[in-house]
Amino acid sequence: MSETEKREPGTALAMSGGGFRATLFHLGALLRLNELGLLRRLTVITSVSGGSIASGYLGYRWNHLTFDDRGVATDLVPKVVEPLAYTVTPVGDESVRVLARAGSIIPQQPVACSSFGSTTCRPRFSP
């Protein structure tokens, strides 16, 4: 059997690692794929590290998403993007503040976290 014959039909997405920054990057990629109606067409996602955080949470929430007739998940942001962004985003990270100023997915609503003393952090998602 040739290599071509072993391939299964479908659309795959590979999500690389890199910690929480990779998770945030992949949330942006998922947003764009969704805007284009491609997210629902995915048949396989392979991932490592920060990419696995994003893909795992997407998989966890997949059956709760509502897709319109164009294949766009109309509630991807509130059900996947915002909760995960809150979870992995440290407030003091300058790259995150730059993304927020650029109008990205991370609302600027820090709250005091007693477990971190005087530092502030974003609200954490709890399922």
Side-chain angles (χ1 to χ4, degrees), residues 18-32:
F20 73 87
R21 286 183 181 89
T23 302
L24 292 171
F25 173 85
H26 291 305
L27 287 177
L30 293 174
L31 279 170
R32 184 64 179 139

Side-chain angles (χ1 to χ4, degrees), residues 27-49:
L27 287 177
L30 293 174
L31 279 170
R32 184 64 179 139
L33 288 170
N34 188 51
E35 289 171 359
L36 297 172
L38 299 174
L39 186 63
R40 191 169 191 184
R41 294 184 191 175
L42 295 177
T43 54
V44 173
I45 297 177
T46 183
S47 57
V48 297
S49 188

Side-chain angles (χ1 to χ4, degrees), residues 2-71:
S2 73
E3 185 65 30
T4 305
E5 292 173 319
K6 293 179 186 177
R7 294 183 185 158
E8 294 181 24
T11 303
L13 175 65
M15 301 172 84
S16 64
F20 73 87
R21 286 183 181 89
T23 302
L24 292 171
F25 173 85
H26 291 305
L27 287 177
L30 293 174
L31 279 170
R32 184 64 179 139
L33 288 170
N34 188 51
E35 289 171 359
L36 297 172
L38 299 174
L39 186 63
R40 191 169 191 184
R41 294 184 191 175
L42 295 177
T43 54
V44 173
I45 297 177
T46 183
S47 57
V48 297
S49 188
S52 294
I53 295 169
S55 67
Y57 196 72
L58 175 65
Y60 171 70
R61 299 296 293 166
W62 187 261
N63 290 332
H64 300 279
L65 295 175
T66 304
F67 289 91
D68 66 17
D69 57 348
R70 299 172 300 133

Side-chain angles (χ1 to χ4, degrees), residues 31 94-108 122:
L31 279 170
E94 181 57 29
S95 64
V96 171
R97 287 196 300 250
V98 169
L99 288 172
R101 284 194 300 268
S104 83
I105 55 177
I106 306 160
Q108 294 293 297
R122 301 202 186 286

